Amino acid sequence: MLPLLLEPADLAKHLGDDKLLIIDLSKPTIYVQAHVPGAIHLDFRRLQTGAQPAPGMLPDDDTLGDLFSGLGLTPDTHVIAYDDEGGGWAGRLLWTLDAIGHKHYSYLNGGIHAWLAEGHPTSSESTEPTPSDYEVGEHDPLTEVNLDYLLAHYQDPGVAIWDSRSEEEYSGVRAFAQKPGHIPGAVHYEWTDPMDKQNNLRLRPLDDIRAELEARGITPDKEVICHCQTHHRSSFSWLVGKILGYPMLRGYAGSWAEWGNHPDTPAEKSE
């Protein structure tokens, strides 16, 4: 069993293993230059509906079934995801898999940057998947939340809303929706804060990240709900929480695109 947070050196020992599906969510220009040998490229746009006003919504089960069949996913496949941006799109893929009940997955720590920095082998040849017939099972109700749930529970003392957007978006200085600001009571911890810019975008020491989250009130005893604008950046936040062992962790796919454009939602600005 491979760990959730997988180091490049450990993946290098398992290249070519059966039952391993390595998925690269980097920009196409990066993938064609260099990728992990055997990695299949996935256009990250296929992980969201793209439909306004909340483009980050999960595609329907038929669409996801077609997507994962095309990638060759089977129920006993272990997926390893990485990208070129420190984990946002890789996180979105893993959150999607978790939401549809596929629980065998790992994140390549640091993605392609860490892989290249350690001098592991790369390929520039496209890998063509062997298609499967993947059927999306029952969704895990503990992985995602919708607008109605969040409206009913955002003020609960046992709920922590983790806002992964930029400080400017959180405070209301910049807005990508009709309303500026944030969900009342939401806590800001930007999605890139856990990344070590000096260490090829690997995660910073986990104890440091844990301490920063807990200092903000994002504690493991709470139900933690992650969001950003479209649940791309916050999928990485969700993944970080998973790696830290947070037991009640969910993602809000509608995110600020839905909340900030809805007539009946409250919004708060920072002073």
Side-chain angles (χ1 to χ4, degrees):
M1 233 350 242
L2 295 175
L4 174 55
L5 183 62
L6 186 63
E7 293 303 325
D10 293 327
L11 175 56
K13 296 174 197 158
H14 288 278
L15 293 180
D17 280 14
D18 288 347
K19 305 271 190 267
L20 214 55
L21 181 60
I22 306 172
I23 299 183
D24 180 314
L25 294 110
S26 308
K27 293 183 257 328
T29 49
I30 304 278
Y31 178 80
V32 297
Q33 286 171 40
H35 52 264
V36 175
I40 292 163
H41 188 258
L42 172 59
D43 178 354
F44 50 71
R45 290 174 297 190
R46 298 185 66 191
L47 297 169
Q48 301 182 328
T49 63
Q52 297 300 337
M57 291 298 202
L58 206 55
D60 64 43
D61 284 357
D62 286 347
T63 304
L64 288 173
D66 289 346
L67 170 65
F68 290 124
S69 294
L71 291 168
L73 186 67
T74 68
D76 54 355
T77 304
H78 189 95
V79 175
I80 294 166
Y82 73 89
D83 57 38
D84 59 348
E85 58 160 23
W89 288 117
R92 176 69 192 214
L93 171 62
L94 299 182
W95 176 81
T96 302
L97 290 171
D98 199 90
I100 62 172
H102 188 97
K103 306 290 183 176
H104 317 300
Y105 54 76
S106 301
Y107 168 61
L108 178 63
N109 197 8
I112 193 64
H113 299 291
W115 183 265
L116 291 170
E118 286 189 10
H120 297 296
T122 60
S123 170
S124 55
E125 301 290 315
S126 262
T127 306
E128 291 307 317
T130 307
S132 61
D133 186 14
Y134 189 84
E135 281 190 31
V136 174
E138 267 190 63
H139 285 228
D140 184 340
L142 299 178
T143 304
E144 44 188 324
V145 300
N146 60 22
L147 178 71
D148 290 343
Y149 183 91
L150 202 52
L151 264 175
H153 296 284
Y154 76 94
Q155 292 172 300
D156 292 3
V159 168
I161 312 288
W162 176 351
D163 187 327
S164 308
R165 297 175 300 159
S166 68
E167 182 67 60
E168 292 79 13
E169 289 168 87
Y170 175 81
S171 64
V173 175
R174 295 185 75 191
F176 299 102
Q178 286 171 348
K179 294 175 207 175
H182 56 265
I183 298 171
V187 177
H188 181 252
Y189 187 71
E190 191 166 337
W191 75 292
T192 57
D193 285 349
M195 297 177 200
D196 189 340
K197 317 283 193 302
Q198 273 68 55
N199 194 20
N200 302 297
L201 302 185
R202 278 186 186 78
L203 287 181
R204 291 169 42 232
L206 297 183
D207 287 343
D208 294 358
I209 301 169
R210 186 180 282 110
E212 290 163 5
L213 288 172
E214 293 194 1
R216 289 163 170 78
I218 301 175
T219 51
D221 57 325
K222 292 180 179 162
E223 177 186 347
V224 177
I225 299 172
C226 306
H227 84 86
C228 56
Q229 180 72 20
T230 63
H231 195 44
H232 153 223
R233 294 171 284 180
S234 53
S235 287
F236 182 66
S237 303
W238 172 88
L239 178 60
V240 168
K242 267 294 213 220
I243 290 165
L244 292 174
Y246 275 56
M248 294 177 288
L249 195 63
R250 308 173 81 174
Y252 170 38
S255 278
W256 193 255
E258 181 177 43
W259 187 280
N261 286 311
H262 197 282
D264 303 328
T265 51
E268 205 171 65
K269 282 190 195 174
S270 306
E271 288 310 312

